[in-house]
Amino acid sequence: MHELPQNLANGLMLGLMYGLIAVGYTMVYGIVQLINFAHGEIFMIGGFGALTAYLVLPSGVSLWVALPIMIIGGIIASVLVATGAERFAYRPLRTAPRLAPLITAIGLSIALQQVVWRFYPGATKARTFPHFDGAAIDLGPFHLQRNDLFLLVAAPLCMIILGAFVRMTRTGRAMQATAQDPDTAKLMGINTDRIIVIAFAVGAAFAAIAAVAYGLRYGNIDFAMGTITGLKAFTAAVLGGIGNIYGAMLGGVVLGIAESLAAAYIQNVPGMHQLGGQGWANVWAFVLLIVVLLVRPQGLLGKRVTDRA
Amino acid sequence: MSIAVAGALTLSACGERGEKKGGSEAAGGSVKVVIGVDAPLTGKLSALGLGIKNSADLAVQKANKEKTVPGVTFELEALDDQANPTSGQQNATKFVGEKNVLGVVGPLNSSVSLTMQKVFNDGKLTQVSPANTNPQLSLGADWGSQKFARPYASYFRTATTDVVQGKFAAQYLYNEAKKTKVFVIDDKKTYGAGLANIFQEEFKKLGGTVVGSDHINPDDKDFSAVATKVKSSGADSVYYGGEYPEAGPLSDQIKKAGAAVPLFGGDGIYDDEFIKLSNNNSNGDLATSVGAPVEEIDSAKAFIADYKAAGYKDPYAAYGGYSYDAAWSIIEAVKAVVADNGGKLPDDARGKVVEAMSKVSFSGVTGKVSFDQYGDTTNKQLTVYTVKDGKWAAVKSGTYSG
């Protein structure tokens, strides 16, 4: 068990990344009841946006200088695509049966992947993403990767800012009102269209930050990176209680740690040798989801709500 | 990438059109024979796939230029399988449906070949893979218990099998690199899992210990849990059965987890992309690949020079020499069939080409090319490579002798 701290740290990092992406699923669902399955691709676009920002900078520029510009580049790309998708793919279907926008979202996710694959130079293979070199930081019981420091700072910071935004600003309160009841909110003079766009944009910005963290962590990005990661983040959002922003982060961390522990230890349980290991991590992540939903259908932090449709 | 594909296609097309414009020759009854190529031309493994396509194209151009088979003009038709078994089968069906196709070079992946073999065999169409290494393809499903039975008469390959490669790797690691505690990982695919198994058995037989084993998903990118396991297992080396898109990040994450041990893999990781994807954490890592290093064989020098002269945008990669030889073996077989038939292509050319393949014997880019009774290459040469200063360098070349 001496590697337990390391496995927990591995899981935490993975979980913070899932959590950042999960915020996008949860906010959009909380306000328009749409599961935006293209969000994994919004995350991927954020990665390529950041890479583009890096590539247009003069070569040899320090990563410390480039990083903020990459984050901005990623956010711009993600937000543009997400709000564009909202305007042209989802808004026309807002009054349609719920299955229609869901299918649109799946179609959009495939389309976005193919567009990047086809038109981004060199994106048919994995592309190298700038990252910090150097050995991991030895903290005694576990190692911490230099590149993960970004995630460790960015994720809590983003959550604090978002929490304050939702609670303390007019727009944030308007968001809460729209989530509760869009029709009444409209009658109270809230521009719900604008609120929906903001929800998409905030989720996209978070996904872009997660994508920068992903690029730094793995050193490369590819056009298919959003598929599995997006699915996991969606799971995290459901696990935490979809609609709840803190739940998204909590669900992400729980999922990440569970995945990491399952990969490390289930193999050692007597009789489970064939069902353990890294190759089974995804299976156990979804087993966890099923178990939580059986016991607590609303998710960890979700509130039981009556269907308002 | 697409530009490169288009460019290469035009190249091959030009050669053919130029021939036709010659006028008198076409009138003289030049028959068009198509050699198919099936490989991943896009997607994660396209670095290897494009090398296969270009090298086969080079063989076709040479045969046309030198009029190797009088009265026959060769043409290349390349289809993309994206390393996907379903696409591979569709491509095979397409090739079988085209009357002019007399042989197909490919595919890259053993898992793709499994879906194509029967289609080719039913169509009596010769298939020569430059890269498949899974033993089952030529020796049958029971090869593990020494019961060899060739499943499809139309299947040939210029690459050696994993039986040879896995054992060769184990012997090198134990006897020469003096590693005794290995951690074995595979990607659960036909090629990777098979190779890792063969390696593991031989390593144990030699006296080494397998201190742990795990599998990963080819779609994943986070291998931190397995990297942590490697570190705490006390392994002095890692053997990975799989391909470079996962092997690169895996090597990176193992090193970052604090385990300074080399990762050893098969020909599936022997590519420059591996080094790139490992974020330069792969120095000291090892790979076996089939044959001697192409750069070091005399017969290969002309190939390399010609490849450069042809101006392909992508490198010939790990299987270039084998792909050239695969295409050339089809050309040789066609030549034999034409010669047997009084200088003309017979009506049942496909079946005749399959028969002629087993008698093909010539000196190719990778050495002497001929096939045994299972369709496997008789050339059992292998090389161990290591990553040195961010580049692959040959360490040891040898012929496997059991």
Side-chain angles (χ1 to χ4, degrees):
Chain A
M1 287 301 257
H2 58 287
E3 72 268 37
L4 183 64
Q6 183 67 60
N7 281 316
L8 289 173
N10 292 346
L12 176 68
M13 292 308 161
L14 205 53
L16 290 175
M17 199 167 72
Y18 291 158
L20 277 177
I21 309 169
V23 167
Y25 282 102
T26 236
M27 285 187 72
V28 167
Y29 184 84
I31 289 172
V32 278
Q33 257 81 67
L34 161 74
I35 296 166
N36 180 13
F37 269 119
H39 191 60
E41 275 59 48
I42 304 287
F43 159 73
M44 178 267 292
I45 300 264
F48 279 93
L51 179 63
T52 311
Y54 180 78
L55 294 175
V56 297
L57 288 174
S59 62
V61 68
S62 154
L63 189 50
W64 290 105
V65 180
L67 199 54
I69 299 163
M70 288 162 63
I71 295 170
I72 294 166
I75 290 177
I76 290 174
S78 279
V79 169
L80 277 180
V81 173
T83 51
E86 193 280 327
R87 178 67 190 83
F88 297 108
Y90 300 142
R91 194 180 296 180
L93 293 170
R94 205 173 287 155
T95 53
R98 258 191 224 173
L99 218 47
L102 187 73
I103 293 166
T104 308
I106 294 170
L108 187 65
S109 90
I110 296 168
L112 287 175
Q113 268 197 31
Q114 295 301 310
V115 165
V116 171
W117 173 79
R118 175 73 182 74
F119 294 107
Y120 197 91
T124 52
K125 310 188 251 198
R127 291 231 31 182
T128 312
F129 197 86
H131 54 273
F132 296 101
D133 284 325
I137 304 158
D138 195 347
L139 293 174
F142 63 90
H143 289 276
L144 186 67
Q145 303 308 325
R146 276 163 206 278
N147 291 293
D148 283 348
L149 285 173
F150 172 78
L151 199 52
L152 216 48
V153 175
L157 198 65
C158 286
M159 293 311 288
I160 292 168
I161 295 171
L162 180 62
F165 170 74
V166 171
R167 266 181 291 113
M168 299 205 249
T169 62
R170 271 182 77 85
T171 314
R173 283 195 295 270
M175 258 175 160
Q176 293 185 43
T178 312
Q180 265 176 20
D181 190 332
D183 294 332
T184 316
K186 215 176 214 165
L187 290 173
M188 296 296 134
I190 292 171
N191 182 349
T192 49
D193 276 345
R194 195 176 134 254
I195 295 299
I196 291 167
V197 171
I198 290 172
F200 270 90
V202 171
F206 273 55
I209 290 164
V212 172
Y214 178 103
L216 288 171
R217 187 174 160 82
Y218 301 122
N220 57 74
I221 56 172
D222 62 83
F223 71 94
M225 72 194 234
T227 315
I228 270 280
T229 320
L231 200 57
K232 292 280 188 59
F234 169 64
T235 310
V238 175
L239 197 61
I242 195 152
N244 184 313
I245 50 171
Y246 301 109
M249 189 45 85
L250 177 70
V253 170
V254 169
L255 187 72
I257 290 177
E259 210 185 299
S260 171
L261 295 185
Y265 299 114
I266 287 197
Q267 231 173 7
N268 304 340
V269 178
M272 300 286 267
H273 183 73
Q274 289 304 315
L275 303 178
Q278 184 95 52
W280 282 79
N282 294 345
V283 175
W284 291 112
F286 288 105
V287 167
L288 173 74
L289 175 71
I290 293 167
V291 170
V292 169
L293 291 185
L294 283 174
V295 182
R296 220 185 128 75
Q298 68 273 39
L300 295 173
L301 294 188
K303 288 195 202 77
R304 199 179 279 276
V305 285
T306 42
D307 200 357
R308 63 158 201 238
Chain B
M1 196 60 59
S2 61
I3 298 166
V5 176
L9 282 176
T10 348
L11 253 178
S12 59
C14 278
E16 205 261 330
R17 221 176 288 132
E19 209 78 44
K20 266 187 188 154
K21 268 183 197 146
S24 59
E25 270 174 31
S30 180
V31 184
K32 190 176 87 173
V33 167
V34 176
I35 293 181
V37 170
D38 175 272
L41 304 179
T42 61
K44 287 198 290 189
L45 292 171
S46 57
L48 297 174
L50 290 166
I52 292 175
K53 193 199 79 175
N54 294 345
S55 306
D57 180 62
L58 196 63
V60 164
Q61 286 194 43
K62 191 175 173 211
N64 285 340
K65 208 168 90 194
E66 296 181 354
K67 301 204 169 43
T68 309
V69 186
V72 170
T73 307
F74 290 97
E75 194 180 309
L76 193 85
E77 182 182 348
L79 297 180
D80 182 8
D81 66 23
Q82 294 190 17
N84 177 350
T86 321
S87 312
Q89 192 174 39
Q90 284 165 358
N91 293 348
T93 312
K94 184 162 186 285
F95 279 133
V96 168
E98 289 174 29
K99 280 212 172 91
N100 288 333
V101 181
L102 290 191
V104 176
V105 175
L108 169 69
N109 306 74
S110 294
S111 50
V112 177
S113 218
L114 275 175
T115 69
M116 302 173 83
Q117 281 184 307
K118 187 174 187 307
V119 179
F120 282 132
N121 201 55
D122 290 349
K124 286 198 169 64
L125 181 54
T126 304
Q127 173 194 6
V128 193
S129 171
N132 291 163
T133 51
N134 190 281
Q136 187 189 339
L137 297 167
S138 57
L139 302 178
D142 295 326
W143 63 270
S145 43
Q146 302 293 319
K147 275 181 233 144
F148 298 160
R150 185 180 188 180
Y152 299 108
S154 61
Y155 181 80
F156 300 86
R157 59 176 142 197
T158 51
T160 39
T161 68
D162 291 334
V163 179
V164 177
Q165 184 171 202
K167 288 183 178 175
F168 190 77
Q171 289 169 2
Y172 177 83
L173 195 65
Y174 189 82
N175 293 335
E176 304 195 29
K178 305 284 180 209
K179 304 282 186 190
T180 54
K181 291 183 285 180
V182 72
F183 195 104
V184 180
I185 307 168
D186 72 61
D187 65 356
K188 305 194 276 193
K189 296 208 295 196
T190 311
Y191 161 73
L195 182 60
N197 250 333
I198 297 159
F199 166 85
Q200 191 163 296
E201 293 305 315
E202 181 74 9
F203 196 75
K204 280 193 264 186
K205 212 186 277 171
L206 292 167
T209 325
V210 176
V211 293
S213 63
D214 207 339
H215 312 275
I216 59 157
N217 293 320
D219 296 328
D220 283 353
K221 198 131 209 202
D222 194 280
F223 307 124
S224 47
V226 63
T228 304
K229 266 189 227 175
V230 168
K231 168 135 202 302
S232 61
S233 71
D236 58 14
S237 51
V238 172
Y239 190 81
Y240 175 68
E243 289 142 359
Y244 63 82
E246 292 76 43
L250 182 64
S251 173
D252 178 35
Q253 289 176 39
I254 287 172
K255 309 294 191 305
K256 279 184 180 162
V261 300
L263 180 135
F264 197 176
D267 51 339
I269 80 165
Y270 175 58
D271 192 275
D272 290 343
E273 283 285 307
F274 168 75
I275 299 167
K276 219 176 90 192
L277 292 174
S278 73
N279 298 320
N280 294 320
N281 268 325
S282 54
N283 273 336
D285 284 358
L286 298 153
T288 48
S289 192
V290 286
V294 167
E295 292 81 359
E296 285 174 20
I297 322 173
D298 278 340
S299 54
K301 287 197 177 120
F303 166 73
I304 296 170
D306 289 351
Y307 195 95
K308 268 194 195 134
Y312 299 112
K313 202 183 147 204
D314 317 276
Y316 50 82
Y319 304 107
Y322 295 90
S323 310
Y324 184 93
D325 285 351
W328 199 260
S329 64
I330 297 170
I331 292 165
E332 286 281 336
V334 171
K335 186 178 167 188
V337 168
V338 168
D340 274 358
N341 198 43
K344 274 171 77 182
L345 209 58
D347 292 336
D348 59 338
R350 274 188 183 173
K352 291 261 165 61
V353 170
V354 172
E355 282 166 35
M357 280 299 286
S358 51
K359 284 170 235 144
V360 158
S361 175
F362 62 94
S363 169
V365 173
T366 58
K368 188 169 169 289
V369 179
S370 62
F371 304 99
D372 64 14
Q373 72 267 39
Y374 303 106
D376 281 332
T377 174
T378 50
N379 185 348
K380 307 268 189 237
Q381 203 166 36
L382 284 147
T383 304
V384 177
Y385 298 85
T386 188
V387 181
K388 209 172 162 187
D389 306 323
K391 270 197 195 117
W392 286 110
V395 185
K396 187 199 174 210
S397 238
T399 304
Y400 174 79
S401 51

